[in-house]
Amino acid sequence: MPVPVLLNAENIYPYEVSKYKQNGYGDWNYGPGIDFVKRLDIMPSNYSGASANNTSSLLHFFTITDIHITDKESPAQAIYLGYKGGSPSTYSPVMLYSTQVLDAAVQTINALHKQKPFDFGISLGDTCNSIQYNELRWYIDVLDGKNINPDSGAKDDPHPGPHNDYQDEYKAAGLDKTINWYQALGNHDHFWMGFLPPNDYIRRNMTGEYIVNLGNPFIDPRGLDSRGFYMGSINGSTPYGDVIGAGSVKDLKTPPKVLSADPNRRALSRTEWMSEFFNTSSSPKGHGFNQSNVRTGFACYTFEPKSNIPIKVIVLDDTQRDDDLNNPDTLGYGHASLDNERYDWLVKELDKGQAEGKLMIIAAHIPISVEQADSMMGWNPAAPISEAQLISKLHEYPNLILWIAGHRHLNIVTALKSPDAARPELGFWEVETASLRDFPQQLRTFEIVRNSDNTVSIFATDVDPAVKDGSLAAISRSYAAATRQIFNMTPDPMPTGSYNAELVKQLTPGMQAKLSGVGGGV
C-alpha cells in the first residue's frame, strides 16, 4: 500500500522523477492479505450457502492484462498530454520498466504454479502501449524466456554496468513451459495509443527520428491530422528517463528528434499482430489464434482447457473495428463494439456450448455493463449491436458463468443478475483484472470449484508480483504509487484498489448431474 505523502512535500510535476523520493512520493509497503468477500448477488434471495462445502476443483487459471509494454524512446507517443499532469495514461515513469514488471509477474506465476498447478493462463489485451513491432516482440519474448533488450534505437546505459537500469539487457525467466497461455486483442494492440487508427504520418514517424506534431487528438475532431504540439519522447540515456521534445510548436523553433531512429518501431496491422504469436517457443503455437484469424483479422476463437472437465472458454474481440464509425460525442476508438459477424459467431458458440452441456467463460478485453453510455471506456453508441441487446442475449444461457475483462485497469466484480427471479441460473458474473502498468500492478487467479449444494464458486484473487527490494520492478511499483499520488487518483475499489471474492452461481439440474464426481481436490 502507498505510504501517505509528507504534509510539507513539494508539489511536483509527474515528469520530475528525481524529486519523488525526497518528497516521499512512491513509498509503499506490503499490507495484510485481503479476505474473500462471499458474493451471493445472483443467487435466490433466500439462499445463504451456510451449509455448502467446496467439494472439487474444476479449473484453475490466471489472467494478466493491460501490460502496456512501451518503447519509451519512440517518437510517436502522446507524452505531452500527461508529463505535466492531465492524463497518466499518456505519461507515467512506469513506462520505463514495463518489460521488467511483466517478468516479475511471470516469476510469481511460476512460483504459484509449483504450489498449485494452473490449467492455463490468458492475457486479456493491451499487451503493448501502441502498435509497434518491437513492443509486441518484447512482450512475447518475456513470456518465452528470451534475452530482452528493452532499449530501442542507439544503445543507452544510464548507469554503466549490467542489470542496474531500465535499459539493460537481461534474460527473462519465461513462463513455465507446462502452462498454456492464450491471448485476447485489446484496443491498444491495433490502434495508435489505443485510440485512433494510424495514418501515414504516424507510420512514417514511428520509424524515423522526428517526434510527432499533433494537436490534442483526444478532443480535436481532426484527430491525427491535427497539429500544434510536439508530443515528446524519453531520453533513454538518462537515469530517470528525462522527457525530451515536448512542447508547443511555437515554443520549439526546431522540430525535435529522438536520439536515434529504429526500423523495429514499425506499426503492425491487426493481422500482422496476430501472426507474431506463431513466432514463439511457448504453447500453444499461435496462443489461441489460428491461420484463419491471421488471414481475415477476425480475432475470436474458443478453447477447452481440460478434456475431462466440461468448461469452454470463448475469447471474444469486443474492440472497435479499424473501419468503424467513430462516436461523435466521445472522440477515439477505445470503446467496446460488436459487429454482426462477431455477434453471430458469439451466439453460435454460446448455443453450441449450452447444447453440449458445458460451463462457459467469455474472455474479452472490454467489460460490459459498467460504464455510462457516453463514456469513451464504454460501449460505442454507433455499434451495430447494442450493449443492451448483447446483455439480454447473454441472459439466455444458464451455463454462462463468467465474463472476464481488463481495459479499465480496475479490480471490479459486477453481478449481472438474471432478469427472471424464478431462474437465478441465468445470472452470471463479470470480473475485471487490473493493469500490470498502473498501481496496484496486479494479476488475478481464478479457481472454479463445485460445491455440495449444486452451485459453483468462482474464487477470484488479486496477486501482487513478488519484487525484491531495490529491483527494477520494485522501482516501477514505487513510480506507480507516486503516479497515483501526484495525479490524485482515488483507488477503486477503496481503499487499496484490490478485491478478492468468492462468487456463487446456481447450476442447472443438467449441469449438476454432469459435474457430479468430476474435478480434483480443493
Side-chain angles (χ1 to χ4, degrees):
M1 295 177 61
V3 176
V5 177
L6 300 173
L7 292 176
N8 62 348
E10 178 185 356
N11 290 324
I12 61 176
Y13 287 118
Y15 75 89
E16 295 179 297
V17 184
S18 63
K19 295 183 179 181
Y20 282 12
K21 190 172 183 61
Q22 69 194 60
N23 287 282
Y25 291 101
D27 289 341
W28 60 273
N29 52 43
Y30 286 109
I34 298 174
D35 291 335
F36 287 91
V37 178
K38 190 166 187 176
R39 298 278 299 270
L40 307 177
D41 309 41
I42 64 174
M43 295 297 291
S45 58
N46 61 351
Y47 177 84
S48 71
S51 61
N53 297 313
N54 304 141
T55 58
S56 61
S57 178
L58 303 177
L59 194 66
H60 187 217
F61 65 97
F62 69 85
T63 55
I64 55 175
T65 190
D66 295 87
I67 303 149
H68 293 273
I69 297 293
T70 302
D71 176 9
K72 58 271 185 189
E73 297 176 279
S74 171
Q77 303 182 74
I79 289 172
Y80 176 78
L81 302 179
Y83 82 118
K84 288 187 177 181
S87 173
S89 66
T90 60
Y91 172 78
S92 166
V94 297
M95 64 200 295
L96 304 178
Y97 298 95
S98 55
T99 69
Q100 292 90 346
V101 172
L102 175 59
D103 187 50
V106 168
Q107 293 180 53
T108 304
I109 291 165
N110 289 344
L112 294 172
H113 182 61
K114 289 180 180 178
Q115 297 174 11
K116 184 168 188 174
F118 289 109
D119 296 309
F120 72 96
I122 186 165
S123 178
L124 297 172
D126 283 5
T127 59
C128 307
N129 199 46
S130 198
I131 50 176
Q132 293 184 190
Y133 167 77
N134 59 347
E135 292 180 341
L136 180 57
R137 279 316 322 167
W138 288 331
Y139 167 73
I140 297 172
D141 290 347
V142 168
L143 288 164
D144 281 353
K146 301 287 183 64
N147 282 324
I148 307 299
N149 179 5
D151 191 355
S152 68
K155 178 59 183 171
D156 300 308
D157 194 11
H159 292 291
H163 309 299
N164 61 8
D165 66 59
Y166 60 91
Q167 297 284 55
D168 284 341
E169 187 171 349
Y170 65 94
K171 175 73 164 61
L175 188 66
D176 188 303
K177 296 300 185 183
T178 63
I179 306 175
N180 283 346
W181 64 271
Y182 297 85
Q183 184 65 52
L185 180 74
N187 54 298
H188 276 258
D189 297 322
H190 65 110
F191 293 130
W192 175 80
M193 296 299 295
F195 181 67
L196 289 169
N199 59 10
D200 289 342
Y201 173 70
I202 288 293
R203 292 179 183 277
R204 207 166 45 243
N205 277 62
M206 277 184 173
T207 55
E209 296 178 291
Y210 285 97
I211 291 171
V212 294
N213 171 5
L214 298 173
N216 184 341
F218 292 92
I219 61 174
D220 192 323
R222 294 173 297 170
L224 297 182
D225 293 323
S226 63
R227 298 290 181 267
F229 301 94
Y230 294 113
M231 290 288 112
S233 186
I234 297 295
N235 181 347
S237 69
T238 58
Y240 295 105
D242 295 348
V243 175
I244 58 173
S248 170
V249 169
K250 68 178 184 296
D251 295 331
L252 299 174
K253 303 305 181 185
T254 303
K257 298 181 180 181
V258 294
L259 303 186
S260 180
D262 191 334
N264 285 330
R265 293 176 180 142
R266 69 181 183 273
L268 296 177
S269 67
R270 84 160 50 204
T271 57
E272 291 169 331
W273 184 87
M274 281 189 280
S275 71
E276 284 301 316
F277 288 90
F278 291 85
N279 182 10
T280 181
S281 60
S282 50
S283 297
K285 190 73 73 173
H287 298 290
F289 301 119
N290 57 43
Q291 291 299 336
S292 175
N293 296 129
V294 173
R295 286 194 306 272
T296 63
F298 186 78
C300 304
Y301 61 89
T302 68
F303 67 95
E304 296 180 21
K306 299 176 74 174
S307 59
N308 62 333
I309 301 292
I311 297 181
K312 171 181 180 176
V313 181
I314 300 171
V315 183
L316 177 68
D317 168 21
D318 66 344
T319 67
Q320 288 186 246
R321 290 168 53 100
D322 297 51
D323 59 356
D324 267 0
L325 292 174
N326 200 7
N327 175 10
D329 297 321
T330 55
L331 297 174
Y333 284 66
H335 310 86
S337 180
L338 285 183
D339 52 27
N340 288 305
E341 180 185 18
R342 283 177 288 169
Y343 178 75
D344 291 345
W345 174 87
L346 174 62
V347 170
K348 178 182 175 182
E349 293 297 336
L350 288 166
D351 286 343
K352 183 179 178 183
Q354 189 67 40
E356 293 176 348
K358 293 172 182 172
L359 297 180
M360 293 180 286
I361 299 167
I362 296 176
H365 178 61
I366 306 178
I368 55 174
S369 189
V370 291
E371 288 283 336
Q372 297 294 326
D374 60 350
S375 168
M376 184 182 153
M377 299 289 285
W379 200 265
N380 180 19
I385 305 300
S386 71
E387 185 177 39
Q389 179 182 354
L390 170 63
I391 293 172
S392 176
K393 188 65 179 178
L394 295 176
H395 279 308
E396 296 179 12
Y397 299 94
N399 285 1
L400 175 62
I401 62 173
L402 183 63
W403 179 299
I404 54 177
H407 189 56
R408 299 201 304 162
H409 299 200
L410 299 174
N411 283 313
I412 300 293
V413 173
T414 303
L416 285 96
K417 299 181 181 180
S418 169
D420 182 352
R423 299 193 64 194
E425 70 274 13
L426 297 180
F428 62 96
W429 292 99
E430 177 172 69
V431 179
E432 298 173 62
T433 298
S435 167
L436 280 177
R437 179 189 193 272
D438 295 324
F439 193 85
Q441 292 186 316
Q442 291 175 331
L443 58 113
R444 265 200 192 275
T445 65
F446 291 81
E447 186 169 19
I448 300 174
V449 174
R450 182 170 61 86
N451 297 324
S452 58
D453 64 349
N454 299 318
T455 63
V456 291
S457 286
I458 303 163
F459 288 89
T461 310
D462 285 326
V463 177
D464 295 309
V467 297
K468 295 179 182 178
D469 288 345
S471 68
L472 300 178
I475 295 172
S476 177
R477 181 173 291 168
S478 173
Y479 288 173
T483 297
R484 168 156 280 177
Q485 293 163 331
I486 293 169
F487 281 91
N488 294 315
M489 299 163 66
T490 302
D492 187 7
M494 291 288 285
T496 62
S498 304
Y499 189 78
N500 297 332
E502 178 187 355
L503 312 172
V504 183
K505 156 84 178 185
Q506 180 70 51
L507 295 173
T508 64
M511 286 309 301
Q512 293 169 18
K514 194 159 190 177
L515 292 176
S516 177
V518 304
V522 178

Short mmCIF file of all heavy atoms in Angstrom, two decimals, residues 29-77:
data_model
loop_
_atom_site.label_atom_id
_atom_site.label_comp_id
_atom_site.label_asym_id
_atom_site.label_seq_id
_atom_site.Cartn_x
_atom_site.Cartn_y
_atom_site.Cartn_z
N ASN A 29 4.49 -0.16 1.16
CA ASN A 29 4.83 -1.37 1.89
C ASN A 29 3.71 -2.38 1.72
O ASN A 29 2.61 -2.05 1.28
CB ASN A 29 5.11 -1.08 3.37
CG ASN A 29 3.98 -0.30 4.04
OD1 ASN A 29 2.81 -0.59 3.82
ND2 ASN A 29 4.32 0.70 4.84
N TYR A 30 4.03 -3.63 2.03
CA TYR A 30 3.01 -4.67 1.95
C TYR A 30 2.07 -4.56 3.15
O TYR A 30 2.50 -4.38 4.29
CB TYR A 30 3.66 -6.05 1.95
CG TYR A 30 4.33 -6.42 0.65
CD1 TYR A 30 5.72 -6.49 0.56
CD2 TYR A 30 3.58 -6.70 -0.48
CE1 TYR A 30 6.34 -6.83 -0.64
CE2 TYR A 30 4.19 -7.03 -1.69
CZ TYR A 30 5.57 -7.09 -1.75
OH TYR A 30 6.18 -7.42 -2.93
N GLY A 31 0.78 -4.68 2.88
CA GLY A 31 -0.21 -4.73 3.94
C GLY A 31 -0.66 -6.17 4.16
O GLY A 31 -0.16 -7.10 3.50
N PRO A 32 -1.58 -6.39 5.06
CA PRO A 32 -2.10 -7.75 5.27
C PRO A 32 -2.89 -8.21 4.05
O PRO A 32 -3.41 -7.40 3.28
CB PRO A 32 -3.02 -7.58 6.50
CG PRO A 32 -3.41 -6.14 6.49
CD PRO A 32 -2.23 -5.40 5.93
N GLY A 33 -2.97 -9.51 3.87
CA GLY A 33 -3.77 -10.04 2.78
C GLY A 33 -5.24 -9.67 2.93
O GLY A 33 -5.73 -9.41 4.05
N ILE A 34 -5.95 -9.61 1.82
CA ILE A 34 -7.35 -9.20 1.82
C ILE A 34 -8.24 -10.44 1.82
O ILE A 34 -8.07 -11.34 0.98
CB ILE A 34 -7.65 -8.31 0.60
CG1 ILE A 34 -6.81 -7.04 0.67
CG2 ILE A 34 -9.13 -7.97 0.53
CD1 ILE A 34 -6.93 -6.17 -0.56
N ASP A 35 -9.17 -10.51 2.74
CA ASP A 35 -10.07 -11.65 2.84
C ASP A 35 -11.01 -11.72 1.62
O ASP A 35 -11.29 -10.71 0.96
CB ASP A 35 -10.92 -11.56 4.11
CG ASP A 35 -10.08 -11.77 5.38
OD1 ASP A 35 -9.03 -12.43 5.29
OD2 ASP A 35 -10.50 -11.26 6.44
N PHE A 36 -11.51 -12.91 1.37
CA PHE A 36 -12.51 -13.09 0.32
C PHE A 36 -13.87 -12.59 0.80
O PHE A 36 -14.29 -12.87 1.92
CB PHE A 36 -12.64 -14.57 -0.07
CG PHE A 36 -11.47 -15.09 -0.85
CD1 PHE A 36 -10.39 -15.67 -0.21
CD2 PHE A 36 -11.46 -15.00 -2.23
CE1 PHE A 36 -9.31 -16.15 -0.92
CE2 PHE A 36 -10.38 -15.47 -2.96
CZ PHE A 36 -9.31 -16.05 -2.30
N VAL A 37 -14.54 -11.86 -0.09
CA VAL A 37 -15.92 -11.46 0.17
C VAL A 37 -16.82 -12.47 -0.55
O VAL A 37 -16.71 -12.65 -1.76
CB VAL A 37 -16.19 -10.04 -0.36
CG1 VAL A 37 -17.64 -9.66 -0.15
CG2 VAL A 37 -15.26 -9.04 0.30
N LYS A 38 -17.69 -13.13 0.20
CA LYS A 38 -18.59 -14.11 -0.42
C LYS A 38 -19.78 -13.38 -1.00
O LYS A 38 -20.54 -12.72 -0.29
CB LYS A 38 -19.05 -15.15 0.60
CG LYS A 38 -19.78 -16.33 -0.05
CD LYS A 38 -19.93 -17.49 0.92
CE LYS A 38 -20.51 -18.70 0.22
NZ LYS A 38 -20.57 -19.89 1.13
N ARG A 39 -19.94 -13.48 -2.31
CA ARG A 39 -20.99 -12.74 -3.03
C ARG A 39 -22.10 -13.69 -3.48
O ARG A 39 -21.85 -14.68 -4.19
CB ARG A 39 -20.37 -12.04 -4.24
CG ARG A 39 -19.31 -10.99 -3.91
CD ARG A 39 -19.94 -9.67 -3.52
NE ARG A 39 -20.74 -9.12 -4.60
CZ ARG A 39 -20.26 -8.30 -5.55
NH1 ARG A 39 -18.98 -7.93 -5.53
NH2 ARG A 39 -21.06 -7.82 -6.48
N LEU A 40 -23.32 -13.38 -3.08
CA LEU A 40 -24.49 -14.18 -3.43
C LEU A 40 -25.47 -13.38 -4.27
O LEU A 40 -26.65 -13.74 -4.36
CB LEU A 40 -25.18 -14.67 -2.15
CG LEU A 40 -24.31 -15.41 -1.13
CD1 LEU A 40 -25.13 -15.76 0.12
CD2 LEU A 40 -23.71 -16.67 -1.74
N ASP A 41 -25.00 -12.33 -4.91
CA ASP A 41 -25.87 -11.37 -5.59
C ASP A 41 -26.77 -12.01 -6.64
O ASP A 41 -27.89 -11.53 -6.87
CB ASP A 41 -25.04 -10.27 -6.28
CG ASP A 41 -24.02 -9.63 -5.38
OD1 ASP A 41 -23.37 -10.35 -4.61
OD2 ASP A 41 -23.82 -8.40 -5.48
N ILE A 42 -26.29 -13.04 -7.33
CA ILE A 42 -27.08 -13.61 -8.42
C ILE A 42 -27.82 -14.88 -7.98
O ILE A 42 -28.44 -15.56 -8.80
CB ILE A 42 -26.23 -13.90 -9.67
CG1 ILE A 42 -25.18 -14.98 -9.40
CG2 ILE A 42 -25.56 -12.62 -10.17
CD1 ILE A 42 -24.41 -15.41 -10.65
N MET A 43 -27.75 -15.17 -6.69
CA MET A 43 -28.47 -16.33 -6.14
C MET A 43 -29.86 -15.90 -5.67
O MET A 43 -30.13 -14.71 -5.48
CB MET A 43 -27.67 -16.93 -4.99
CG MET A 43 -26.32 -17.53 -5.41
SD MET A 43 -26.50 -18.93 -6.53
CE MET A 43 -27.22 -20.14 -5.41
N PRO A 44 -30.78 -16.86 -5.43
CA PRO A 44 -32.10 -16.51 -4.89
C PRO A 44 -31.97 -15.78 -3.56
O PRO A 44 -31.02 -16.01 -2.79
CB PRO A 44 -32.79 -17.88 -4.72
CG PRO A 44 -32.08 -18.79 -5.66
CD PRO A 44 -30.66 -18.31 -5.72
N SER A 45 -32.91 -14.93 -3.25
CA SER A 45 -32.82 -14.09 -2.06
C SER A 45 -32.81 -14.90 -0.78
O SER A 45 -32.31 -14.46 0.25
CB SER A 45 -33.99 -13.09 -2.04
OG SER A 45 -35.23 -13.78 -2.07
N ASN A 46 -33.37 -16.12 -0.81
CA ASN A 46 -33.41 -16.94 0.41
C ASN A 46 -32.22 -17.88 0.52
O ASN A 46 -32.18 -18.74 1.41
CB ASN A 46 -34.71 -17.74 0.45
CG ASN A 46 -34.84 -18.71 -0.73
OD1 ASN A 46 -34.05 -18.66 -1.66
ND2 ASN A 46 -35.86 -19.56 -0.68
N TYR A 47 -31.25 -17.74 -0.36
CA TYR A 47 -30.07 -18.63 -0.33
C TYR A 47 -29.01 -18.05 0.59
O TYR A 47 -28.66 -16.87 0.49
CB TYR A 47 -29.49 -18.80 -1.73
CG TYR A 47 -28.23 -19.64 -1.77
CD1 TYR A 47 -28.30 -21.03 -1.82
CD2 TYR A 47 -26.98 -19.03 -1.75
CE1 TYR A 47 -27.15 -21.80 -1.85
CE2 TYR A 47 -25.81 -19.80 -1.79
CZ TYR A 47 -25.90 -21.17 -1.83
OH TYR A 47 -24.77 -21.95 -1.86
N SER A 48 -28.48 -18.89 1.49
CA SER A 48 -27.41 -18.43 2.37
C SER A 48 -26.09 -19.14 2.12
O SER A 48 -25.02 -18.60 2.37
CB SER A 48 -27.81 -18.64 3.84
OG SER A 48 -27.81 -20.03 4.16
N GLY A 49 -26.16 -20.37 1.62
CA GLY A 49 -24.95 -21.14 1.37
C GLY A 49 -24.23 -21.58 2.62
O GLY A 49 -23.11 -22.09 2.55
N ALA A 50 -24.86 -21.43 3.76
CA ALA A 50 -24.17 -21.70 5.03
C ALA A 50 -23.77 -23.15 5.17
O ALA A 50 -22.76 -23.47 5.79
CB ALA A 50 -25.06 -21.27 6.19
N SER A 51 -24.58 -24.06 4.60
CA SER A 51 -24.30 -25.48 4.77
C SER A 51 -23.50 -26.08 3.62
O SER A 51 -23.20 -27.27 3.62
CB SER A 51 -25.62 -26.26 4.93
OG SER A 51 -26.41 -26.10 3.76
N ALA A 52 -23.14 -25.27 2.64
CA ALA A 52 -22.44 -25.79 1.46
C ALA A 52 -20.95 -25.92 1.72
O ALA A 52 -20.35 -25.12 2.43
CB ALA A 52 -22.68 -24.87 0.27
N ASN A 53 -20.36 -26.95 1.13
CA ASN A 53 -18.93 -27.16 1.19
C ASN A 53 -18.35 -27.17 -0.21
O ASN A 53 -19.02 -27.60 -1.16
CB ASN A 53 -18.61 -28.50 1.86
CG ASN A 53 -19.08 -28.56 3.30
OD1 ASN A 53 -18.84 -27.63 4.07
ND2 ASN A 53 -19.76 -29.64 3.67
N ASN A 54 -17.11 -26.71 -0.35
CA ASN A 54 -16.39 -26.84 -1.62
C ASN A 54 -15.95 -28.29 -1.75
O ASN A 54 -15.22 -28.82 -0.91
CB ASN A 54 -15.16 -25.94 -1.65
CG ASN A 54 -15.48 -24.48 -1.39
OD1 ASN A 54 -14.74 -23.79 -0.71
ND2 ASN A 54 -16.59 -23.99 -1.93
N THR A 55 -16.41 -28.97 -2.82
CA THR A 55 -16.15 -30.41 -2.92
C THR A 55 -15.08 -30.78 -3.93
O THR A 55 -14.36 -31.76 -3.72
CB THR A 55 -17.45 -31.16 -3.28
OG1 THR A 55 -17.96 -30.65 -4.52
CG2 THR A 55 -18.50 -30.97 -2.18
N SER A 56 -14.96 -30.06 -5.04
CA SER A 56 -13.93 -30.42 -6.02
C SER A 56 -13.56 -29.21 -6.86
O SER A 56 -14.40 -28.35 -7.14
CB SER A 56 -14.41 -31.56 -6.93
OG SER A 56 -15.55 -31.18 -7.66
N SER A 57 -12.30 -29.16 -7.25
CA SER A 57 -11.79 -28.07 -8.08
C SER A 57 -11.95 -28.45 -9.55
O SER A 57 -11.51 -29.52 -9.99
CB SER A 57 -10.32 -27.81 -7.76
OG SER A 57 -9.79 -26.80 -8.59
N LEU A 58 -12.58 -27.57 -10.32
CA LEU A 58 -12.83 -27.82 -11.73
C LEU A 58 -11.78 -27.17 -12.64
O LEU A 58 -11.40 -27.74 -13.65
CB LEU A 58 -14.22 -27.32 -12.12
CG LEU A 58 -15.40 -27.89 -11.34
CD1 LEU A 58 -16.69 -27.24 -11.80
CD2 LEU A 58 -15.47 -29.41 -11.49
N LEU A 59 -11.34 -25.96 -12.28
CA LEU A 59 -10.45 -25.22 -13.17
C LEU A 59 -9.67 -24.19 -12.37
O LEU A 59 -10.22 -23.54 -11.48
CB LEU A 59 -11.28 -24.51 -14.26
CG LEU A 59 -10.52 -23.96 -15.47
CD1 LEU A 59 -9.90 -25.09 -16.29
CD2 LEU A 59 -11.43 -23.12 -16.36
N HIS A 60 -8.39 -24.03 -12.73
CA HIS A 60 -7.51 -23.08 -12.05
C HIS A 60 -6.71 -22.35 -13.12
O HIS A 60 -6.00 -22.98 -13.91
CB HIS A 60 -6.57 -23.84 -11.10
CG HIS A 60 -5.72 -22.96 -10.24
ND1 HIS A 60 -4.43 -23.26 -9.91
CD2 HIS A 60 -5.99 -21.77 -9.62
CE1 HIS A 60 -3.93 -22.32 -9.12
NE2 HIS A 60 -4.85 -21.40 -8.95
N PHE A 61 -6.86 -21.03 -13.20
CA PHE A 61 -6.16 -20.29 -14.24
C PHE A 61 -5.80 -18.89 -13.76
O PHE A 61 -6.24 -18.46 -12.68
CB PHE A 61 -6.99 -20.22 -15.53
CG PHE A 61 -8.29 -19.46 -15.44
CD1 PHE A 61 -8.37 -18.14 -15.86
CD2 PHE A 61 -9.44 -20.08 -14.97
CE1 PHE A 61 -9.57 -17.43 -15.81
CE2 PHE A 61 -10.65 -19.38 -14.91
CZ PHE A 61 -10.71 -18.06 -15.32
N PHE A 62 -5.00 -18.18 -14.54
CA PHE A 62 -4.63 -16.81 -14.19
C PHE A 62 -4.93 -15.87 -15.36
O PHE A 62 -5.01 -16.31 -16.51
CB PHE A 62 -3.14 -16.70 -13.79
CG PHE A 62 -2.17 -16.89 -14.92
CD1 PHE A 62 -1.81 -15.83 -15.75
CD2 PHE A 62 -1.59 -18.13 -15.16
CE1 PHE A 62 -0.93 -16.00 -16.80
CE2 PHE A 62 -0.70 -18.31 -16.20
CZ PHE A 62 -0.35 -17.24 -17.02
N THR A 63 -5.09 -14.60 -15.03
CA THR A 63 -5.23 -13.57 -16.05
C THR A 63 -4.20 -12.47 -15.80
O THR A 63 -3.92 -12.11 -14.66
CB THR A 63 -6.64 -12.94 -16.03
OG1 THR A 63 -6.93 -12.43 -14.72
CG2 THR A 63 -7.70 -13.93 -16.43
N ILE A 64 -3.62 -11.98 -16.88
CA ILE A 64 -2.84 -10.75 -16.87
C ILE A 64 -3.44 -9.84 -17.94
O ILE A 64 -4.04 -10.32 -18.91
CB ILE A 64 -1.34 -10.99 -17.15
CG1 ILE A 64 -1.14 -11.75 -18.48
CG2 ILE A 64 -0.67 -11.72 -16.00
CD1 ILE A 64 0.30 -11.93 -18.89
N THR A 65 -3.30 -8.56 -17.76
CA THR A 65 -3.90 -7.66 -18.74
C THR A 65 -3.30 -6.26 -18.65
O THR A 65 -2.67 -5.90 -17.66
CB THR A 65 -5.44 -7.59 -18.55
OG1 THR A 65 -6.02 -6.91 -19.65
CG2 THR A 65 -5.82 -6.91 -17.26
N ASP A 66 -3.48 -5.51 -19.72
CA ASP A 66 -3.10 -4.10 -19.77
C ASP A 66 -1.68 -3.90 -19.27
O ASP A 66 -1.41 -3.09 -18.39
CB ASP A 66 -4.11 -3.26 -18.97
CG ASP A 66 -5.49 -3.31 -19.60
OD1 ASP A 66 -6.26 -4.23 -19.28
OD2 ASP A 66 -5.79 -2.43 -20.42
N ILE A 67 -0.78 -4.64 -19.88
CA ILE A 67 0.63 -4.58 -19.51
C ILE A 67 1.29 -3.35 -20.11
O ILE A 67 2.17 -2.74 -19.54
CB ILE A 67 1.34 -5.88 -19.95
CG1 ILE A 67 0.62 -7.09 -19.33
CG2 ILE A 67 2.80 -5.89 -19.57
CD1 ILE A 67 0.67 -8.33 -20.16
N HIS A 68 0.84 -2.98 -21.30
CA HIS A 68 1.31 -1.77 -21.97
C HIS A 68 2.83 -1.75 -22.10
O HIS A 68 3.49 -0.79 -21.70
CB HIS A 68 0.81 -0.51 -21.24
CG HIS A 68 -0.67 -0.32 -21.32
ND1 HIS A 68 -1.28 0.34 -22.36
CD2 HIS A 68 -1.67 -0.71 -20.50
CE1 HIS A 68 -2.59 0.36 -22.18
NE2 HIS A 68 -2.85 -0.29 -21.06
N ILE A 69 3.37 -2.83 -22.66
CA ILE A 69 4.81 -2.84 -22.96
C ILE A 69 5.11 -1.63 -23.83
O ILE A 69 4.48 -1.42 -24.88
CB ILE A 69 5.22 -4.13 -23.67
CG1 ILE A 69 4.96 -5.35 -22.77
CG2 ILE A 69 6.66 -4.07 -24.12
CD1 ILE A 69 5.83 -5.41 -21.54
N THR A 70 6.07 -0.81 -23.40
CA THR A 70 6.26 0.51 -24.01
C THR A 70 7.67 0.72 -24.50
O THR A 70 8.64 0.51 -23.76
CB THR A 70 5.93 1.61 -22.98
OG1 THR A 70 4.59 1.44 -22.52
CG2 THR A 70 6.08 2.99 -23.59
N ASP A 71 7.78 1.14 -25.75
CA ASP A 71 9.05 1.68 -26.26
C ASP A 71 9.08 3.15 -25.88
O ASP A 71 8.56 4.01 -26.59
CB ASP A 71 9.12 1.50 -27.77
CG ASP A 71 10.37 2.14 -28.38
OD1 ASP A 71 11.26 2.56 -27.61
OD2 ASP A 71 10.45 2.22 -29.62
N LYS A 72 9.70 3.42 -24.73
CA LYS A 72 9.67 4.79 -24.19
C LYS A 72 10.42 5.78 -25.06
O LYS A 72 10.22 6.99 -24.97
CB LYS A 72 10.22 4.83 -22.76
CG LYS A 72 11.64 4.31 -22.59
CD LYS A 72 11.65 2.83 -22.32
CE LYS A 72 13.03 2.29 -22.02
NZ LYS A 72 13.04 0.81 -21.96
N GLU A 73 11.32 5.29 -25.95
CA GLU A 73 12.11 6.18 -26.79
C GLU A 73 11.47 6.42 -28.16
O GLU A 73 12.05 7.09 -29.01
CB GLU A 73 13.51 5.61 -26.97
CG GLU A 73 14.29 5.51 -25.66
CD GLU A 73 15.63 4.84 -25.85
OE1 GLU A 73 15.68 3.60 -25.90
OE2 GLU A 73 16.65 5.57 -25.93
N SER A 74 10.28 5.89 -28.36
CA SER A 74 9.58 6.07 -29.63
C SER A 74 9.27 7.55 -29.87
O SER A 74 8.90 8.28 -28.93
CB SER A 74 8.28 5.28 -29.63
OG SER A 74 7.50 5.59 -30.78
N PRO A 75 9.36 8.01 -31.13
CA PRO A 75 8.98 9.39 -31.45
C PRO A 75 7.48 9.57 -31.64
O PRO A 75 7.03 10.68 -31.88
CB PRO A 75 9.73 9.64 -32.76
CG PRO A 75 9.82 8.30 -33.41
CD PRO A 75 9.96 7.31 -32.29
N ALA A 76 6.71 8.47 -31.55
CA ALA A 76 5.28 8.55 -31.83
C ALA A 76 4.48 8.17 -30.59
O ALA A 76 3.85 7.12 -30.53
CB ALA A 76 4.92 7.64 -33.00
N GLN A 77 4.52 9.03 -29.58
CA GLN A 77 3.79 8.83 -28.34
C GLN A 77 2.90 10.05 -28.08
O GLN A 77 2.73 10.90 -28.95
CB GLN A 77 4.76 8.60 -27.18
CG GLN A 77 5.73 7.43 -27.40
CD GLN A 77 6.63 7.21 -26.22
OE1 GLN A 77 6.21 6.71 -25.18
NE2 GLN A 77 7.90 7.59 -26.36
#
